[in-house]
Amino acid sequence: MQRSVDASTYRHDGRPTGPRPVFQSMLRGALLKCPNCGIGALFHRYLKVSDDCPHCREALHHHRADDAPTYFTIVIVGHVVVSLVLAVEMAYRPPLWLHAALWLPLTVILAIVVLAPVKGSLVALQWALLMHGFDPDAKEEIGDRLAPPAA
Ligand SMILES: [Zn+2]
């Protein structure tokens, strides 16, 4: 994929796609907003991506986030919680019951808080890079198969 320097003429394989800056799109997704306009809600429930943006009508149902948000959330939350566990253990050596009482709820709460922004970022990244059905030339997918070409 090649993109020109001029933001008004972003191109994908030589075709203009409209501006799709990756960082801005991912930031909008992390804020749970549409990667295209930054105003409409990306999700219509906790982790359910809207079929299209309620503000600009950009199609969002093409995303294939699958398990990636959970993997990234595990990495992020794991680094935070394990670092805190080690720091507290080294500094205070609390009993194991206190460790369990602290870190288990913190892990669950952090995972719930982090998962939606991570999924929003990944959906926005797919949108910005024209992955899957976000590519205007992509064939519509039916399950694991590609749909036959329209007659
Ligand atoms: Zn929008």
Side-chain angles (χ1 to χ4, degrees), residues 18-33:
R20 293 190 179 203
V22 172
F23 181 76
Q24 181 187 51
S25 301
M26 290 184 71
L27 182 62
R28 288 174 172 173
L31 296 173
L32 314 182
K33 297 296 181 187

Side-chain angles (χ1 to χ4, degrees), residues 1-3 10-26 35-36 58-60 62-64 72 120-138:
M1 176 173 19
Q2 295 178 346
R3 295 208 164 149
Y10 281 87
R11 293 184 177 278
H12 173 73
D13 294 336
R15 291 174 287 108
T17 65
R20 293 190 179 203
V22 172
F23 181 76
Q24 181 187 51
S25 301
M26 290 184 71
N36 186 42
E58 178 74 17
L60 301 170
H62 299 298
H63 81 91
R64 296 287 303 269
F72 286 107
S121 297
L122 289 170
V123 170
L125 178 66
Q126 292 175 6
W127 177 84
L129 297 180
L130 298 171
M131 296 170 71
H132 312 300
F134 291 120
D135 184 341
D137 292 337

Side-chain angles (χ1 to χ4, degrees), residues 41-142:
L42 181 58
F43 298 102
H44 64 90
R45 286 178 28 201
Y46 173 55
L47 290 175
K48 295 286 186 188
V49 177
S50 302
D51 284 344
D52 46 28
C53 173
H55 183 75
C56 70
R57 310 313 301 173
E58 178 74 17
L60 301 170
H61 61 89
H62 299 298
H63 81 91
R64 296 287 303 269
D66 299 333
D67 294 337
T70 49
Y71 297 141
F72 286 107
T73 298
I74 289 169
V75 169
I76 293 166
V77 172
H79 277 81
V80 170
V81 172
V82 170
S83 300
L84 289 173
V85 168
L86 292 175
V88 168
E89 176 62 24
M90 296 299 286
Y92 305 107
R93 300 214 180 267
L96 288 179
W97 68 264
L98 188 56
H99 274 300
L102 285 174
W103 310 124
L104 292 177
L106 179 68
T107 302
V108 171
I109 291 168
L110 274 179
I112 290 170
V113 168
V114 169
L115 190 53
V118 168
K119 183 171 183 175
S121 297
L122 289 170
V123 170
L125 178 66
Q126 292 175 6
W127 177 84
L129 297 180
L130 298 171
M131 296 170 71
H132 312 300
F134 291 120
D135 184 341
D137 292 337
K139 293 181 172 61
E140 196 64 35
E141 295 179 10
I142 300 173

